[in-house]
Amino acid sequence: MNLIELQDINKTYFIGEMQVPVLKGISLSIQHGEYVALMGASGSGKSTLMNILGCLDRPTSGKYLLEGEDVGYADNDYRALVRNRKIGFVFQSFNLLPRTSAIDNVTMPLTYTNAKLSSKEAKKRAVAMLQRVGLGDRMNHFPSQLSGGQQQRVAIARALINHPPVLFADEPTGNLDSKTSVEVMQMFEELNKEGITIILVTHSAEVAGYAKRTIQIKDGIIIGGIFGKNDAEEGAQKP
């Protein structure tokens, strides 16, 4: 069973009496453990597509199956539950609480889960996640005391705290310098090797190159898909 299955997804916004079609018949499948980039220029529809995939918005028509469950038209409360249980988000602007320590930023999603962890258990899980992203010595620092790359690592740890099967990264290097961008992208590669499905949204071909598969979007439709260098190299080695 595919992790994600989209069937003829359309999204139209209504501005007064004017209809603005943004997605026009998107169909695609993403398997567990894939690393996929959704690439397109500004206005291509890639962010709208990510919002639907991330259960932040509903399609106008079509079907969205997440782990076999039709979630496309679920109500707000149920979509929030799906996001908390199955989806992690990493954004360009980090979205950390400025007056909250790194460890408290990471534990925050646990307050909305049904896991009913004790505060000790929640802290233990957050410590493990921060160590996993290389910030074991920065757990009590506030965002203002961290570099951009460190803040993004905190955001990644927070996105993973509920062990979601899929991680969405929306222009995750947009506010980072080139050296730090490479470090963050290498971290995504490591997480994917551990089995986490990653869906990366970007306008940059260089950033998309880290993914194993790139889906190109233009004017609300898929215009092509290419495999990344890792898959190409693996294919070349096969008989």
Side-chain angles (χ1 to χ4, degrees), residues 3 5 55 130 141 181-182 212 231:
L3 173 64
E5 185 80 33
C55 291
L130 284 167
H141 286 58
S181 296
V182 170
K212 294 179 180 177
D231 279 9

Side-chain angles (χ1 to χ4, degrees), residues 14-57:
F14 295 89
I15 304 175
E17 296 182 356
M18 183 173 63
Q19 298 184 21
V20 181
V22 179
L23 299 179
K24 308 165 186 175
I26 297 287
S27 296
L28 64 87
S29 299
I30 296 174
Q31 298 178 356
H32 285 273
E34 279 204 84
Y35 187 171
V36 178
L38 304 177
M39 191 178 75
S42 178
S44 63
K46 65 183 186 299
S47 293
T48 299
L49 179 57
M50 190 209 74
N51 286 341
I52 290 173
L53 289 169
C55 291
L56 296 168
D57 199 1

Side-chain angles (χ1 to χ4, degrees), residues 5-190:
E5 185 80 33
L6 295 185
Q7 300 173 9
D8 196 25
I9 291 289
N10 294 274
K11 180 65 179 180
T12 299
Y13 291 104
F14 295 89
I15 304 175
E17 296 182 356
M18 183 173 63
Q19 298 184 21
V20 181
V22 179
L23 299 179
K24 308 165 186 175
I26 297 287
S27 296
L28 64 87
S29 299
I30 296 174
Q31 298 178 356
H32 285 273
E34 279 204 84
Y35 187 171
V36 178
L38 304 177
M39 191 178 75
S42 178
S44 63
K46 65 183 186 299
S47 293
T48 299
L49 179 57
M50 190 209 74
N51 286 341
I52 290 173
L53 289 169
C55 291
L56 296 168
D57 199 1
R58 297 186 184 93
T60 303
S61 63
K63 181 176 285 190
Y64 173 23
L65 302 176
L66 178 61
E67 291 192 318
E69 180 182 10
D70 193 341
V71 298
Y73 303 100
D75 61 30
N76 291 339
D77 289 342
Y78 191 73
R79 284 189 293 125
L81 179 64
V82 171
R83 290 195 301 271
N84 186 259
R85 289 171 47 214
K86 297 186 176 183
I87 299 171
F89 292 99
V90 178
F91 298 100
Q92 176 177 336
S93 56
F94 316 139
N95 290 354
L96 301 178
L97 297 176
R99 299 181 181 180
T100 304
S101 66
I103 193 166
D104 287 337
N105 265 287
V106 173
T107 57
M108 183 181 63
L110 294 175
T111 62
Y112 303 103
T113 185
N114 291 325
K116 300 186 184 302
L117 298 177
S118 68
S119 58
K120 183 178 180 179
E121 291 171 326
K123 183 176 180 180
K124 181 179 179 180
R125 185 182 290 189
V127 168
M129 283 298 171
L130 284 167
Q131 290 173 338
R132 184 180 185 181
V133 298
L135 289 179
D137 59 344
R138 296 288 189 273
M139 292 186 290
N140 295 312
H141 286 58
F142 293 91
S144 61
Q145 299 172 309
L146 301 173
S147 68
Q150 289 170 337
Q151 290 184 62
Q152 193 62 293
R153 287 172 182 261
V154 173
I156 293 169
R158 180 184 60 190
L160 296 174
I161 193 68
N162 279 327
H163 304 303
V166 59
L167 178 66
F168 287 93
D170 188 4
E171 301 285 4
T173 63
N175 286 335
L176 304 177
D177 60 46
S178 57
K179 179 177 180 295
T180 307
S181 296
V182 170
E183 293 173 355
V184 168
M185 296 311 299
Q186 288 174 340
M187 174 166 291
F188 284 135
E189 284 186 314
E190 293 169 6

